[in-house]
Amino acid sequence: MLAFLWSLGAFIVALGILVAVHEWGHFYVARKCGVQVERFSIGFGKPIWRKLSKSGTEYVIAIIPLGGYVRMLDGRVDDVPPELADKAFNNKPVLQRMAVIAAGPGVNFIFAFFALWVMYLVGLDTVKPVVKTIEPNSIAAIAGVKPGDEIIKVGDRITPDWEAVNLEIVSNIGAEKASVTVKNSSNVEKELSFTLNAWNFDPDRESPLSSLGLTPYRPDATLTVGFVGEGSAAQQAGLQPGDKLLALNGNKLQSWERLVEEIVESPGEQILLEIERDGQPLTLNATIARRDTLQGQSGYLGVSPTFEPWPEGYVFTHQYGIIEAIGKALDKTWRLMTLSVEMIGKLITGDVSVKNLSGPISIAQGAGTSAGYGLAYFLSFLALISVNLGIINLLPLPMLDGGHLMFFIVEWITGKPVPEAVQEWGYRIGGVLLFMIMGIAIFNDIARIT
């Protein structure tokens, strides 16, 4: 429950920030163009807070935190007094109307850059993309990747960490081959070719890396307890952080992985744990808890280990000065924008499955996870979602900003507005398509957690 509330809170904060940023873009440019803004709302439905400004704009926070809107004076829906005719949105020149509509997505991109710039100033701890193991006969194994290799480039893009590797690997979905440059422990570089014709990536079951047969390096787990879950079977048995596990049911433990295998296969069973605490041997009785999985019931103890230290140089921090961070943030923002466009194109062509679509539940989980890791990770998450929000809003669907821009571009070229009947049908069709996409995304979310 606590994890759910944390994710929900992080989701509301993230969505509130991004919606406010997006709608502020429309609001700011509308005011600069002399348009009368009637309402600036964060959320939909019944207002829970409102304030009327001297300019006549009503600022609102509404009860449903799933979007927002800027309501402008518009002769197509309002009775506009003659003295306010020049302040109506529909009476403004077409280029000004286009600027007002484009400002929302535009500010999303600016905000993403700003969030990444702050992230690089704060500093983001990350890990070199060194491979620990390779699945036999996998795509990576056939290409020639060896344990201990560091992935330094995918295509022409430098990959300093696993996040960069993930982004560039995903960008190759639908391609026949991908060029990957690795460096071994002797600093010898080698360019490899990943054959992707038979690459089947199912985001519900695996990560892009594991689907290629790659396991990132991380230090081995020790047999020393690092964390004991509140109310868990381990806590009820008396286990404490710092305890060293020696034996299970009289059998000496060789590794943490072997302990996990035994626990998972023994739901509900009584076990004897021999431990060492402060140099003294102890024997504890425990009852392994049960939990349901897709494969049936499995055992669960509720404890996690400490790990060996990272080798020197494996962990580093992306942190830069004010000027250098600008270049890094610009490059990252542009890459997120191009990757988002590529993914939408591949979704349309069928190279990317609709199962990859994510809805509010997945976004909430991502928000909660990133917020739990710290400010820098939360800023990175905000930047990613802000870019996606901007790109999606530019799609030429009449319910979105891109649809309005499409009608205005036609008006700009032809010199006359698109007929109201055509626009109305466009909004209906766009609404159906948009709700279909949202429905698929929410269905995928539910499928991932059930």
Side-chain angles (χ1 to χ4, degrees), residues 253-264:
L253 289 169
Q254 302 295 333
S255 68
W256 186 269
E257 290 74 20
R258 182 57 189 156
L259 170 69
V260 171
E261 289 175 7
E262 293 279 354
I263 297 298
V264 167

Side-chain angles (χ1 to χ4, degrees), residues 218-227 241-243 256 304-309:
R218 66 171 297 173
D220 291 328
T222 71
L223 283 167
T224 300
V225 175
F227 171 80
D243 289 347
W256 186 269
S304 60
T306 60
F307 291 87
E308 298 287 352

Side-chain angles (χ1 to χ4, degrees), residues 341-386:
V341 172
E342 289 172 13
M343 289 300 102
I344 290 173
K346 291 179 179 182
L347 189 64
I348 294 171
T349 60
D351 290 326
V352 173
S353 170
V354 293
K355 291 196 298 184
N356 288 273
L357 286 173
S358 294
I361 298 174
S362 291
I363 294 173
Q365 291 173 331
T369 301
S370 62
Y373 287 150
L375 176 62
Y377 290 91
F378 190 57
L379 288 170
S380 178
F381 173 81
L382 285 178
L384 174 63
I385 301 301
S386 190

Side-chain angles (χ1 to χ4, degrees), residues 35 86 97 123 153 284 326 381 411:
V35 177
D86 63 329
R97 282 179 276 147
K153 283 200 303 185
L284 302 177
I326 291 175
F381 173 81
E411 180 180 346

Side-chain angles (χ1 to χ4, degrees), residues 113-124 161 163 317-321 324-332 376 379:
F113 159 76
F114 175 75
L116 291 170
W117 179 68
V118 174
M119 181 196 77
Y120 284 126
L121 290 178
V122 171
L124 180 71
D161 52 35
E163 182 194 19
T317 302
H318 283 303
Q319 189 171 29
Y320 307 95
E324 192 176 2
I326 291 175
K328 295 290 184 180
L330 282 172
D331 180 70
K332 183 67 174 288
L379 288 170

